[in-house]
Amino acid sequence: MRLIHTADWHLGQMLHGFPREAEHAAFLEWLLDRVAEYRADALVVAGDVFDGQNPPVSALTQFYRFLARARARFPGLSVVVVAGNHDSGTRLEAPSPLLAELGVQVVGGVARTGGALDPSRLVVPLRAADGTVAARCVAMPYLRAADLPPVAEEGLDPLVEGVRRLYAEAEAAGRAHLRPGEALVLTGHCYMSGGALSELSERKVLGGNLHALPVDIFPGDAAYVALGHLHRAQAVGGREGVRYSGSPIPLALDEDGYLHQVVLAEFAEGRLVGRETLRVPRTVGIRRVRADTPEDALEALKTLELDPTLPRDRWPYLEVGVGLPAPRPGLREEVEAVLAGRPVRLCKLTARLTGDGAALADTGAGADLSELEPEDVFLRLYARDHEEAPDPALLAAFRELVEAVEETAP
């Protein structure tokens, strides 16, 4: 049996105000083609299908159209979707009766009956091409603190131990269904100890990432653990079968260098016998311009090579970083004027202050801060941020302001 593991689609995401719909559409089309090319029997989506709990209609349409097309092209494909921390579990599960008819099992949250975990929806059979069950997937969604059983023992982290116990319950339910020759596949949407974070786009979960989960919450004999939440593709704890697939597109500018991919896993006789990463082609580029001065930045932007044949929704994103030896209030307008009519989308303009960075009270002579005159404070603040001296007109305006304040003071 072959399984494709993917996660963190974030349908409906905006990158600095720009929609990602075209990129997501290209990825979903590519994914269907990979299911066909590799004759995959199952698809597991490990959370964060959507970017927010109330996704736009366009994102919902993309998701449901993808599922309908997958069913039409691959009638025997087993599809498992779990909720992530960005998703609304109840919203994701709402159309479950209909999706189940399409062979799609959606798990938005854990259910309890009489205080005990109800595993009926968590254990999903995954079938091979001949229709036989080749694996049992324990489909665990993102767990919030309210989902966890109470932990009263001293010395145990109640969040980590709560997750461990809940996973153990679900795993036991999966094993109860397991037959000889079937693989045990687990899912999770969580932050694992040692995982590499993207600070600009990943929300901190389960106590602000302070309660990272150890890899041993997953049994060593699990054939595969399909994880979501971290956008950088990576294995966990040195175990090749415990993996984040990573996001299919960069969800922040600093994720440009990530390997965006899905994972193809192959199982036989209950074991993982093959693993391959399938790299997702990049449809929209990210460009960067770095310069020491505004003049250098504007000149670099004028000569920036761009493809005028690209459709608007494929124009690259642009990040500009500029050193500011002196204030430049109209810099963004200058940058936008240079880029006007050109096939690029300005996402971010970052000013890098070039002053000495000295603390305000650092006088070098031991003087007390309270002894400084207002103009001394102004000049020191200015020198902290800018390497050039203030413009005489700016200094004159400051002095005029100080005089006005002193005249009106009681």
Side-chain angles (χ1 to χ4, degrees), residues 1-4 31-32 34-36 38-45 66-80 99-105 124-129:
M1 185 198 76
R2 289 180 173 179
L3 175 152
I4 289 180
L31 182 58
L32 288 174
R34 299 294 77 71
V35 172
Y38 292 94
R39 301 189 300 279
D41 305 296
L43 174 68
V44 173
V45 185
F66 169 81
L67 295 179
R69 293 189 62 200
R71 175 65 174 176
R73 288 183 64 176
F74 319 107
L77 182 69
S78 299
V79 180
V80 178
L99 295 179
E101 296 298 317
L102 298 178
V104 179
Q105 181 69 35
V124 185
L126 304 180
R127 300 182 183 276

Side-chain angles (χ1 to χ4, degrees), residues 122 257 261 336:
L122 299 183
Q261 59 169 55
E336 290 175 342

Side-chain angles (χ1 to χ4, degrees), residues 99-324:
L99 295 179
E101 296 298 317
L102 298 178
V104 179
Q105 181 69 35
V106 178
V107 180
V110 293
R112 292 186 174 273
T113 303
L117 178 70
D118 178 6
S120 59
R121 293 181 306 108
L122 299 183
V123 182
V124 185
L126 304 180
R127 300 182 183 276
D130 61 4
T132 61
V133 175
R136 304 282 174 175
C137 178
V138 179
M140 186 67 80
Y142 169 64
L143 298 174
R144 292 173 169 81
D147 297 320
L148 307 180
V151 176
E153 294 91 334
E154 291 187 9
L156 295 177
D157 184 318
L159 294 179
V160 173
E161 185 62 23
V163 170
R164 184 189 297 277
R165 294 180 185 182
L166 197 55
Y167 265 102
E169 285 187 70
E171 176 205 330
R175 289 187 187 277
H177 290 81
L178 210 60
R179 299 293 178 265
E182 296 176 359
L184 179 63
V185 175
L186 310 176
T187 78
H189 191 92
C190 49
Y191 175 48
M192 303 297 297
S193 179
L197 282 165
S198 170
E199 294 293 341
L200 297 184
S201 62
E202 289 160 357
R203 295 179 186 169
K204 293 178 171 55
V205 297
L206 198 63
N209 293 342
L210 298 177
H211 306 266
L213 303 177
V215 73
D216 66 6
I217 68 169
F218 301 117
D221 64 344
Y224 189 77
V225 182
L227 296 174
H229 178 56
L230 299 189
H231 301 164
R232 185 193 294 272
Q234 56 194 289
V236 176
R239 290 171 57 179
E240 286 300 308
V242 182
R243 305 193 70 84
Y244 288 98
S245 67
S247 62
I249 64 173
L251 297 166
L253 295 174
D254 71 332
E255 296 181 13
D256 182 36
Y258 288 10
L259 173 62
H260 297 282
Q261 59 169 55
V262 302
V263 180
L264 177 69
E266 187 170 357
F267 306 89
E269 297 301 320
R271 297 182 303 107
L272 178 68
V273 297
R275 180 187 58 80
E276 184 177 352
T277 58
L278 309 180
R279 187 159 189 172
V280 181
R282 184 73 60 85
T283 55
V284 175
I286 295 176
R287 306 288 297 277
R288 289 181 172 83
V289 169
R290 297 281 189 267
D292 292 331
T293 67
E295 290 73 22
D296 290 343
L298 294 172
E299 188 61 33
L301 291 173
K302 290 176 184 177
T303 59
L304 189 64
E305 293 186 5
L306 299 167
D307 184 354
T309 66
L310 290 174
R312 182 177 292 271
D313 57 15
R314 300 294 176 91
W315 287 3
Y317 302 114
L318 175 64
E319 179 183 9
V320 181
V322 186
L324 280 187

Side-chain angles (χ1 to χ4, degrees), residues 16-37:
H16 294 275
F18 295 108
R20 317 295 298 280
E21 189 173 346
E23 293 165 88
H24 280 125
F27 161 67
L28 294 175
E29 185 68 28
W30 174 89
L31 182 58
L32 288 174
D33 289 341
R34 299 294 77 71
V35 172
E37 179 182 355

